[in-house]
Amino acid sequence: MAFEDKTLTCKDCGKEFIFSAGEQEFYAEKGFENEPVRCRDCRDKRRRTREGGEQAQRQMFTVVCADCGRETEVPFEPKDDRPVYCRDCFNKRRGH
């Protein structure tokens, strides 16, 4: 069965999106009978909402940069034996 790209309209935002031949083949392999009704952005947004809401943000930890001494926040719990850097100092150390 040959698949061809299709243009569909998202039921949430109204934008047109492409349902590619590859996606159609994947749907067929999985036994899905219905075409998607939402674009990728709206599907992702809906998934995030189901997984704890868009208000659910990652926990941030306040630390002092080991290089410049500035207070900053990082999205991981720092270990006592490892230095933590602010974004600017981290990027300098990486060579950017």
Side-chain angles (χ1 to χ4, degrees):
M1 179 177 208
F3 295 102
E4 293 183 20
D5 290 358
K6 287 185 183 179
T7 301
L8 303 175
T9 302
C10 178
K11 83 174 203 176
D12 287 352
C13 69
K15 292 182 194 170
E16 290 187 342
F17 65 97
I18 301 295
F19 184 36
S20 73
E23 290 170 318
Q24 291 173 50
E25 186 175 349
F26 174 80
Y27 271 53
E29 287 173 5
K30 295 295 182 184
F32 300 150
E33 296 179 4
N34 300 319
E35 295 178 341
V37 295
R38 291 178 182 85
C39 65
R40 170 79 57 202
D41 289 341
C42 288
R43 285 191 308 234
D44 290 345
K45 183 177 180 182
R46 187 172 161 91
R47 187 175 304 115
R48 283 192 308 269
T49 300
R50 282 195 317 256
E51 293 173 354
E54 290 189 53
Q55 300 303 318
Q57 295 179 358
R58 52 170 49 170
Q59 183 178 2
M60 299 297 280
F61 297 87
T62 302
V63 297
V64 175
C65 176
D67 200 16
C68 71
R70 185 173 71 192
E71 189 174 283
T72 189
E73 288 188 331
V74 293
F76 58 89
E77 188 169 12
K79 305 275 192 245
D80 289 331
D81 61 335
R82 307 229 14 208
V84 178
Y85 304 100
C86 67
R87 180 180 306 273
D88 293 337
C89 291
F90 179 78
N91 286 334
K92 277 188 237 171
R93 296 179 75 78
R94 284 183 44 204
H96 289 112

